[in-house]
């Protein structure tokens, strides 16, 4: 083959590779190899094809052959690398590194990028094989190459960081070269990082420090790295932790290290290394408590981290350090804890130092024997150890063997004479040694001085030096210096600190004392340094720095919470600062800790008095008085508290209570004066108490005071208002004699002014009035001269000069202006100035003055009243709003009377009812109750103003408070009786008479009207109405005729004629009444009332035509579609015509048209209960809706609801959510005076008892019938209207009571009740029937046949009550008991006939069901014939036509059961009753019983199981018992 053919074959092979025809490749290559065995390209192409055909061995061989032929060619090496990378060839791992290295050599000068790629692959391969040194060297080559190629910083950063990641694994196990390369990689990466600071850079720095900490020989490098990271990342705690651990382990915790630890703990309060470092530093500084605190927290952190090697070392270090600190504290708890800690250390027995610590701990905890043993072992084992001899000395010192202690300390000093502690202990031994050394303290002084020279930081040495100079040498200055030095060295040494402070105070160096106390308190922790806090608190309290005193005394109390003196001092500080509530708590606590402390209790009472808690203060003062009756401050406090309560009662217009309080206050002040009559303030308080009752009505002021105040030796006197005010003036005078003050002069002047006001009100002598006013002016001027800057005195002087008895308006204006100048924020003076301007008709100036007062104090009441008076004067529409605002701010007589006047005026204007102003002012603002409330308070205080009582009566009338209204009108009448205005008197009497008539007091009403001339139409009509209500119809008719002659308008004539018609009707003159009403209808302006009366007259006469005609005419005059009377009359006409369903439909239609009218809902509920009982459920709902919409209509609606619930069978046994009994009980609670409610309650109780018997439970209300019947009778006594209705209600309740007694077995009581009733009225067929029923009960119970005579008597009795459905039904039951089934049937049929004639739905239904029961009883007795079975079917079918009747359906099922017990129809009927809803439980339970018998007869176990589960669900124990019995057979 020629070379051309070879080239062609190679070209074909190359094309086949491109086309992925690898077998063709092999053919072409083999052809070439046959010609040229060493053809490089052919072998390479064979390698490619073999690799693609999945022949790795052949491919490997081909590539290797090619590489051998031409080692410097790339293709073979590239193919071989690709082959090794793709397949898991057996030689790949071994050969691939060499291939990569060859490729690196080949690429190095040809393709730098590919060289880098191969280099990375080689590194990955080395990394997988964990050849870390080769990884490092190769990656170093890569970095060097990239540096030579000019790579940027970011790329180099990534390369160095990658190298640090590659070498991080098992770094501590690598050789030194690899470790150095790793650290160099970290350093270079950190230097090359651009984004600094950053999260990545921080992580890199952290990893660098982490690996440095693993190399013990790199500690210097580690410290430098940590410091660098701390500088760059000051908020990161990791480098701080590492460097702190390094410094702690090195034992060289410098100031810089302490700062690192402090910063670390600031960043993480739970950092173990930081806390250990702080603990070591605190121990060095002898701050043992701080050291313990830090080390304890460190131990907690170490325990949470777990017990690794490093943490165990840290834990042992913490324990040892903590034990040392605890031993230094020397308190019992610390020592015990130290012993416990030392026991935890594992190497205690092997270390002398720890043994010494343990011995000291045992010694200090009282374990002397154990300490002695440790000491003896130490001395024996280490005779040259100074600590062992010192421990021996400590043991002897503890045993108070000072001689042996001296010897042992001297031995210890021989071994080590430079230990200050030994000198101090030896000096202390000499200080405490026998009498000789106590006299001569020189030895002790020498050793104390040596100890001080050796250790200038040993505070306790200086303390004893202070003792020496103070107590022995008598040098207080040097002693103070020693104490200060001792305290500076050990700020926990309270003895030294207190001595230094006390000596400084003695030396009058308060600045030094305060500096020491301040320094101590600034450093002291909570609950410590009580001595310093207390001393500084008292200093501040004395200096008047109250807030600082409070803070210091609080700190003292934290140290000793049970120090009552501290609590009292704190209370004084709070009180001085004005913090009354907290002061109260402090003194209360002090009194609890020291119950005998009168001062604490007095302070508690005084603060409660300041806070306005007068009742509580009185109780505390009383405790003091019980212990010390003559304790004047407590008596004064009691008087002040009662006086303040009296003033508060006056503000609330509780005048009677105010008088009582003032009387008690005067009593306490009198007792105080008996002990200290020389105290001016007590007399002034007496004057205040006497004067404060000036606004109270004189009729209410009758105050009992001690006779001693009036110059009597004993006894008490009752003072009137004028006498009490006079006594107040005398008391002020006595106070002025003892101490002349401007305040008392002002109070005396005001007292004289109040006396003058009282004289003016009572109409006394003008001479006395003038004299009192002159005295008042003199006193007030005296007060102003004494203190001309007091605005109150100027204001009071202005008020008096304004008084009409003085009338000096110019001086008054001057006084008010001076008052304003003295006090700029002075709403009272501006208001008084406004009143002055208003009195002088300067309206604009008055308005400006009032406006200024409002701006100064918007809540000041009197300025608003002034503005309201101005608005009233100018006729502003805002007048009423302003007066209302005054009543909202507070109560004042002027505001109250003004607001009441405008409310009454607005109410009297009938034309404004639909206006927005009326809606807002009267309705939205609830004006009538508000005005009535303030007016009640007004008349309590001002009892001689008749218009106020008239307005109060008017408002009470609007609120339906008729009795209260009548009383108000009566008081107004009494005030006007002697007045000259006869017209006003007549109008007031007219109102009084009208209200008397309204409340049923007709006699007084007639007397009231007779006291008027009876010339006005309103008086005559009122008189006529009173006569009518009294039952004097003829006289009433005559009065109405007289009114006709007086009236002028057609409408009034119509009303009078209507009233006359009603009067004629009451006399039984129907025709006369009708003619009068016809007269009304032909007037020009007939009234709707007259047509309503005409319609009602037609109903009363049962004249449907007349009623209908009147109603049609009435509808023409009724403008409102939702007129209640219209629907009431319409339904009544339908009822008269016998259209019961139409009655309900008419009212239901009205409800649908006006669903928000509660009266219509109530009417619907009543109509349903009366005419369509089959819709009782709807009637109950209607009643509930009426009750929800309006509680007023809802009261009666509750009764209708209960009646409907009774009609539908609602009871506790069937429906526990809405029972008739619960509903009627609620109605009785709301309307206890309604006899129908009590009657309804009787019916509900009876129904409940019956259902209890059905459900086989004990009746609960068997003893209530007589009580309820008495309640009905009592309620009917005062009911004079609807006599026929009341009579029927009483008869029904009587019948129900007798029936209830019979049912409960109380036959004798029932018979006695009937006999008693017949004695009062023998002609009562219904009662006779009840008596016969009672008498027959025992006869029927005996089950003996009744004689024919008895049966005939019973039949006669029933015939006399032939229209009574229950009578016929009872007779049927008697016949049934005697076996006279046909006669019983006839009686039931008769009752059915009567019920049908009466339209009684319930009577008809009950008769049909009783008839069906009678027939069923006969059928079940297996009497032959179809009559009775047909009768059952007929009666139940008719009952079902009346309404849905569960009992009727059940009776049909029983009839079928009796006919064919096993028939399918029997099961169907019984299952209908058992499983369908809407059937009462009693019927369902009985049907379940019969169904079980049927299923057992059919042996249908599957259905029996279903029935049993149903019975279990409903708790039917009776059926389950039957099932057990039938199953056992």
């Amino acid at each position: 083959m020629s070379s051309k053919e070879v080239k062609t074959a190679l070209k074909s092979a190359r094309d086949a590779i491109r086309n992925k025809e690898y077998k063709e490749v092999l053919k072409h290559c083999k052809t070439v190899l046959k010609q040229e065995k060493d053809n490089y390209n052919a072998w390479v192409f064979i390698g490619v094809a073999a690799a693609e055909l999945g022949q790795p061995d052949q491919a490997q061989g081909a590539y290797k052959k090619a590489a051998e032929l031409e080692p410097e060619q790339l293709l073979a090496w590239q193919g071989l690398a690709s082959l090794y990378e793709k397949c898991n060839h057996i030689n790949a791992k071994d050969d691939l590194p060499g291939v990569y290295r060859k490729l690196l050599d080949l690429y190095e000068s040809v393709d730098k990028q590919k060289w880098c790629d191969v280099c990375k692959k080689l590194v990955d391969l080395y990394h997988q094989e964990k050849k870390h040194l080769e990884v490092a060297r190769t990656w170093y080559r890569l970095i060097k190459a990239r540096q030579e190629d000019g790579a940027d910083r970011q790329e180099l950063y990534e390369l160095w960081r990658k190298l640090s990641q590659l070498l991080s694994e098992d770094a501590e196990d690598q050789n030194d070269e690899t470790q150095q390369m790793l650290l160099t990689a970290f350093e270079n990466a950190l230097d090359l990082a651009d984004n600094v600071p950053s999260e990545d850079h921080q992580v890199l720095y952290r990893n660098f420090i982490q690996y440095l900490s693993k190399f013990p020989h790199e500690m210097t490098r580690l410290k430098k790295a940590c410091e660098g990271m701390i500088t760059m990342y000051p908020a990161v705690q990791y480098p701080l932790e590492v460097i702190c651990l390094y410094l702690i382990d090195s034992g060289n915790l410098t100031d810089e290290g302490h700062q690192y630890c402090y910063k670390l703990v600031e960043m993480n309060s739970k950092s173990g290394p930081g806390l250990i470092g702080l603990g070591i530093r605190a121990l060095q500084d002898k701050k043992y408590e701080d050291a313990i605190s830090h080390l304890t927290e460190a131990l907690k952190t170490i325990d949470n981290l777990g017990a690794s090697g490093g943490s165990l070392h840290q834990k042992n270090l913490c324990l040892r350090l903590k034990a040392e600190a605890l031993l230094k504290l020397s308190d019992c708890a610390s020592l015990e804890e130290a012993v416990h800690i030392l026991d935890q250390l594992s190497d205690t027995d092997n270390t002398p130092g720890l043994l010494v610590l343990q011995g000291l701990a045992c010694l200090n905890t009282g374990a002397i024997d154990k300490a002695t043993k440790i000491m003896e072992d130490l001395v024996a084992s280490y005779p040259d150890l100074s600590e062992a001899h010192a421990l021996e000395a400590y043991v002897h010192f503890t045993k108070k063997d000072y001689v042996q202690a001296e010897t042992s300390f001297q031995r210890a000093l021989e071994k080590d004479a430079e230990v200050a502690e030994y000198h101090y202990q030896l000096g202390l031994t000499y200080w405490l040694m026998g009498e000789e050394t106590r006299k001569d303290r020189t030895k002790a002084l020498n050793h104390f001085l040596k100890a001080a020279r050796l250790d200038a930081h040993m505070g306790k040495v200086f303390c004893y030096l202070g003792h020496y100079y103070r107590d022995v040498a008598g040098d207080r200055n040097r002693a103070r210096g020693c104490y200060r030095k001792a305290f500076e060295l050990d700020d926990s040494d309270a003895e030294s600190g207190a001595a230094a402070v006390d000596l400084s105070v003695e030396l009058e160096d308060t600045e030094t004392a305060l500096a020491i106390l301040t320094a101590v308190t600034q450093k002291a922790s909570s609950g410590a340094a009580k001595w310093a806090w207390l001393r500084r608190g008292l200093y501040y309290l004395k200096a008047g720095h109250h807030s600082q005193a409070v803070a210091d005394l609080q700190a003292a109390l934290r140290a000793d919470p049970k120090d009552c003196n501290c609590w009292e001092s704190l209370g004084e500080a709070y009180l001085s600062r004005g913090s009354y509530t907290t002061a109260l708590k402090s003194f209360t606590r002090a009194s609890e800790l020291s119950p005998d402390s009168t001062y604490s209790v007095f302070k508690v009472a005084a603060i409660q008095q300041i806070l306005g808690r007068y009742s509580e203060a009185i109780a505390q003062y009383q405790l003091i008085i019980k212990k010390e009756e003559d304790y004047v401050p407590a008596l004064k406090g009691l008087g002040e508290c009662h006086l303040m309560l009296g003033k508060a009662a006056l503000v609330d217009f509780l005048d009677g209570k105010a008088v009582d309080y003032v009387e008690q206050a005067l009593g306490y002040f009198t007792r105080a004066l008996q002990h200290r009559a020389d105290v001016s303030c007590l007399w002034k308080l007496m004057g205040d108490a006497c004067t404060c009752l000036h606004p109270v009505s004189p009729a209410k002021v009758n105050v009992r005071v001690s006779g001693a105040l009036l110059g009597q030796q004993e006894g008490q006197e009752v003072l009137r208002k004028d006498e009490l005010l006079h006594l107040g003036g005398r008391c002020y005078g006595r106070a002025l004699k003892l101490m002349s003050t401007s305040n008392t002069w002002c109070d005396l002047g005001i007292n004289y002014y109040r006396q003058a006001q009282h004289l003016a009100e009572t109409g006394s002598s003008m001479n006395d009035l003038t004299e009192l006013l002159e005295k008042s002016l003199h006193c007030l001027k005296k007060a102003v001269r004494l203190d001309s800057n007091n605005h109150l005195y100027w204001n009071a002087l202005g008020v008096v000069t304004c008084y009409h008895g003085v009338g000096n308006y110019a001086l008054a204006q001057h006084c008010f202006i001076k008052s304003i100048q003295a006090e700029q924020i002075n709403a009272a003076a501006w208001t008084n100035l406004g009143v002055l301007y208003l009195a002088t008709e300067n309206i604009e100036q008055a308005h400006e003055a009032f406006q200024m007062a409002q701006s100064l104090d918007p809540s000041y009441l009197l300025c608003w009243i002034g503005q309201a008076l101005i608005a009233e004067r100018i006729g502003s529409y805002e007048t009423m709003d302003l007066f209302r605002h005054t009543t909202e701010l507070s109560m004042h007589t002027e505001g109250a009377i003004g607001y009441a006047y405008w409310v009454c005026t607005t109410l009297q204007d009938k034309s404004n009812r639909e206006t927005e102003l009326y809606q807002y002012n009267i309705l939205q603002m609830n004006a009538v109750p508000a005005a009535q409330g303030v007016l009640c308070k007004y008349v309590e205080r001002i009892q001689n103003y008749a218009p106020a009582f008239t307005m109060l009566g008017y408002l009470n009338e609007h609120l339906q408070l008729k009795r209260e209204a009548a009383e108000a009108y009566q008081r107004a009448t009494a005030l006007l009786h002697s007045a000259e205005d006869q017209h006003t008197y007549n109008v007031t009497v007219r109102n009084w008479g009208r209200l008397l008539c309204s409340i049923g007091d007709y006699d007084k009403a007639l007397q009231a009207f007779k006291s008027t001339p009876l010339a006005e139409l309103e008086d005559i009509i009122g008189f006529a109405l009173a006569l009518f209500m009294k039952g004097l119809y003829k006289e009433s008719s005559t009065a109405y005729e007289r009114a006709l002659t007086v009236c002028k308008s057609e409408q009034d004539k119509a009303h009078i004629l209507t009233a006359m018609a009603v009067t004629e009707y009451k006399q039984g003159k129907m025709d006369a009444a009708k003619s009068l009403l016809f007269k009304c209808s032909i007037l020009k302006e007939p009234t709707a009332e007259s047509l309503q009366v005409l319609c009602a007259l037609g109903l009363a006469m049962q004249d449907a035509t007349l009623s209908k005609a009147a109603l049609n005419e009435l509808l023409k005059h009724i403008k409102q579609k939702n007129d209640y009377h219209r629907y009431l009359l319409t339904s009544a006409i339908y009822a008269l015509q016998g259209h019961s369903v139409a009655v309900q439909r008419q009212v239901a239609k009205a409800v649908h048209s006006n669903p928000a009218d509660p009266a219509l809902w109530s009417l619907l509920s009543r109509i349903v209960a009366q005419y369509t009982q089959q819709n009782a459920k709807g009637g109950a709902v209607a009643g509930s809706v009426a009750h929800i919409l309006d509680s007023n209509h809802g009261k009666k609606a509750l009764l209708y609801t209960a009646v409907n619930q009774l009609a539908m069978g609602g009871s506790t046994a069937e429906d526990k959510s809405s029972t008739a009994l619960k509903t009627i009980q609620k109605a009785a609670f709301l309307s206890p005076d309604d006899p129908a409610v009590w009657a309804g309650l009787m019916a509900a109780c009876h129904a409940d008892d019956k259902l209890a018997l059905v459900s086989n439970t004990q009746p609960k209300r068997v003893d209530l019938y007589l009580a309820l019947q008495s309640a009905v009778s009592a309620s009917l006594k005062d009911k004079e209207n609807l006599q026929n209705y009341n009579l029927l209600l009483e008869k029904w309740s009587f019948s129900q009571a007798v029936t209830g007694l019979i049912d409960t077995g109380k036959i004798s009581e029932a018979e006695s009740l009937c006999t008693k009733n017949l004695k009062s009225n023998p002609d009562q067929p219904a009662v006779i029937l009840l008596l016969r029923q009672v008498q027959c009960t025992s006869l029927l119970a005996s089950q003996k046949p009744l004689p024919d005579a008895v049966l005939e008597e019973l039949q006669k009795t029933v015939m006399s009550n032939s229209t009574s459905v229950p009578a016929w039904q009872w007779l049927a039951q008697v016949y049934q008991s005697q076996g006279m089934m046909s006669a019983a049937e006839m009686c039931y049929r008769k009752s059915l006939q009567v019920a049908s004639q009466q339209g009684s739905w319930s009577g008809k239904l009950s008769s049909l069901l009783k008839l069906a029961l009678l027939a069923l009883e006969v059928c079940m007795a297996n009497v032959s014939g179809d009559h009775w079975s047909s009768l059952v079917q007929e009666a139940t079918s008719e009952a079902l036509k009346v309404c849905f009747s569960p009992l009727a359906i059940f009776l049909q099922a029983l009839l079928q059961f009796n006919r064919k017990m096993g028939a399918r129809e029997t099961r169907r009927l019984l299952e209908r009753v058992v499983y369908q809803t809407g059937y009462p439980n009693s019927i369902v339970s009985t049907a379940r019983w019969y169904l079980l018998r049927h299923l057992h007869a059919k042996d249908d176990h599957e259905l029996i199981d279903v029935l049993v589960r149903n019975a279990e669900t409903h708790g039917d124990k009776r059926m389950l018992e039957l099932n057990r019995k039938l199953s056992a057979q």
Side-chain angles (χ1 to χ4, degrees), residues 560-623:
D560 186 5
K562 293 187 178 181
D563 187 343
C564 65
N565 293 322
C566 266
W567 281 107
E568 285 185 356
S569 301
L570 180 61
E572 290 289 354
Y574 277 129
L575 195 58
S576 301
R577 195 178 71 175
S579 302
Y580 298 115
T581 304
T582 44
L584 175 63
K585 293 178 181 178
S586 300
F587 281 116
T588 301
R589 180 61 178 156
S591 65
E592 291 172 355
L593 293 171
S594 179
D596 296 329
S597 174
T598 301
Y599 180 75
S600 297
V601 179
F602 174 75
K603 280 296 185 179
V604 169
I607 296 171
Q608 286 174 336
Q609 179 181 339
I610 293 171
L611 294 173
R613 304 175 186 173
Y614 301 117
S615 299
E616 298 174 18
I618 288 170
Q620 294 295 325
Y621 282 132
Q622 293 287 3
L623 293 176

Side-chain angles (χ1 to χ4, degrees), residues 276-289:
I276 293 172
L278 291 180
I280 292 172
R281 186 54 183 262
L283 195 58
Q284 292 171 354
D285 295 342
K286 298 185 178 181
K287 297 178 180 178
Y288 304 119
E289 292 182 351

Side-chain angles (χ1 to χ4, degrees), residues 637-669:
L638 281 168
E640 288 176 320
C641 288
H642 283 94
L643 178 57
M644 295 308 297
L645 286 172
K647 290 181 178 180
L650 287 173
V651 172
D652 294 334
F653 279 64
L654 304 173
D655 293 347
K657 185 177 284 189
V659 171
D660 293 339
Y661 281 132
V662 168
E663 185 175 295
Q664 293 180 64
L666 289 172
Y668 287 116
F669 289 143

